Each structure stands twice: as structure tokens, then as C-alpha cells.
Amino acid sequence: MPDLWQAEDQPAPPKDYNLVVPEGWFKLSLDPEHRDRSIIALAEHQFHGIDNAPLLKEQVMRELQKTAKDAYQAGGIELYLSTLRIGPLPLSSSLLVSFPMPGTMPSSSDVHTVAETLSRRGAEATVVSLSAAGRAVRELRSEAASPSTQLGNELPTTTVKFYVPVPATDEWLILSFSTPLDPLARQMVGLFDTVADTLHWS
């Protein structure tokens, strides 16, 4: 009987999570059944009023298709893409919410151990405290752009990942932010930190 009482006292895992993202971040469906419809909707939004760039529009849709497919295969749950602009300058950024694939995370549920492991791999990893979601590991990287995925961008891509342990489980939730806007990297990282801090369990 005492064992039963102890089990009843243990917190139950959360049923879901919630995030507050900036207005202008488009949620792209990763579900194969809805992916194409979502990509068409985003392309129509991005090229609204532009009728003389069908080849560019088609190229963007192909890139979105590849991005969404890769994200889904990597355990992605949700993908957000920024459609924000400052004048003619697009504030390109993305957020992928995912569960890690088997073998991609250190075999530990301790944030300090995970941070140390990531640091040994060359990342700038620190333990942070999110307002509602608790402690997490924050990983910051700057990587050379890939011509095949950045549509001609040659500037470094800044990525910020938050590895968040899911309460009462051995699982992790990963928030992967990315931007190719190297001149605005510091401001974008500040935005990413703000979005991550809105994560809460329900």
C-alpha cells in the first residue's frame, strides 16, 4: 500500500506544451497529409502581389518541401517560419520544435551533464532557467551557410537550441531557432530567448 501512495504522489507527465511566437511567424504543417497545402499557403502569402516571379516561387516551394520533409524525419512536431520584414529586408528565421531521434541525445536526464557533453562537442552550452518550463540547456552556434539550403546566402547561420527535459519523463523537447541574418544575429538571438521563455507545460 505505501508503494501505491508513493506512485499517486508522483507528478504526472504534461499532456502538451504551449509557446507564444511573434505575429508574422507562419506555422508550416509537417504532417505529410497537410504539408503541401501548408506550403502553398505560405508561398501565396510570400508572393502576394508578385506575379512576375514564377520560377523563384517554384524554387521557394521546393525548398520548403525539402525543409518540411527533413524536419519531419528528424522528429519535428512544429515548424515556424518568419514572414516579418523591415522595409524590403525579410527577417528570415525559423523555429523547429522536435523530440530528439534515438541516439542523438546524451544518455542523461540531467541538464548539467547534457551541457557538459555538448560543450565537449564544440558548442557554447549553458544551463538556463525558463520562467515556466524550468531548467534547460541552451546551445549557441554559428555555422557557415550551406548554398544548397540558403538560396545564395553566404553569411554564417546562427542557431540557438534549447534542450528542455519533459517533467516526470525521460524525454526531452528541443526548440531549434535559426537565422541567416548575421548582421542582426544578436537581436535575433534575443528574440529567440524571449520566445523560448514562453514555453510552458499543460
Side-chain angles (χ1 to χ4, degrees):
M1 187 65 71
D3 291 340
L4 178 59
W5 290 342
Q6 184 177 8
E8 290 177 346
D9 290 339
Q10 292 178 351
K15 294 182 179 179
D16 204 352
Y17 67 89
N18 292 283
L19 275 171
V20 179
V21 301
E23 185 177 353
W25 280 22
F26 186 95
K27 182 179 177 181
L28 189 68
S29 177
L30 299 181
D31 186 333
E33 294 186 5
H34 307 290
R35 184 186 300 155
D36 290 345
R37 189 182 312 120
S38 185
I39 289 172
I40 291 172
L42 177 55
E44 292 295 333
H45 179 276
Q46 291 289 75
F47 286 85
H48 179 70
I50 303 174
D51 299 322
N52 60 347
L55 294 180
L56 179 58
K57 182 177 180 180
E58 183 180 344
Q59 182 183 7
V60 168
M61 291 178 66
R62 285 200 303 268
E63 291 294 336
L64 290 172
Q65 184 71 247
K66 183 180 185 304
T67 298
K69 184 177 180 180
D70 291 346
Y72 181 77
Q73 292 177 343
I77 305 169
E78 294 181 316
L79 176 62
Y80 293 90
L81 299 173
S82 171
T83 62
L84 299 173
R85 289 178 175 269
I86 297 181
L89 175 66
L91 294 180
S92 302
S93 58
S94 64
L95 164 60
L96 174 64
V97 183
S98 63
F99 286 109
M101 300 299 288
T104 60
M105 281 288 295
S107 56
S108 173
S109 59
D110 177 72
V111 289
H112 294 284
T113 301
V114 171
E116 290 173 4
T117 301
L118 293 172
S119 295
R120 288 196 297 269
R121 295 177 181 174
E124 181 184 325
T126 56
V127 175
V128 298
S129 181
L130 302 179
S131 296
R135 292 191 303 173
V137 179
R138 178 182 182 272
E139 176 190 31
L140 175 64
R141 290 181 182 269
S142 180
E143 302 173 334
S146 171
S148 64
T149 59
Q150 295 298 332
L151 295 178
N153 175 60
E154 298 179 354
L155 296 175
T157 295
T158 300
T159 62
V160 183
K161 291 186 179 182
F162 290 85
Y163 300 83
V164 189
V166 180
T169 74
D170 293 328
E171 296 183 333
W172 293 77
L173 187 72
I174 303 179
L175 309 180
S176 301
F177 297 90
S178 178
T179 180
L181 297 178
D182 189 59
L184 297 177
R186 188 169 69 173
Q187 292 88 336
M188 298 302 292
V189 167
L191 175 62
F192 299 160
D193 288 341
T194 300
V195 173
D197 199 50
T198 68
L199 175 68
H200 57 282
W201 308 108
S202 59

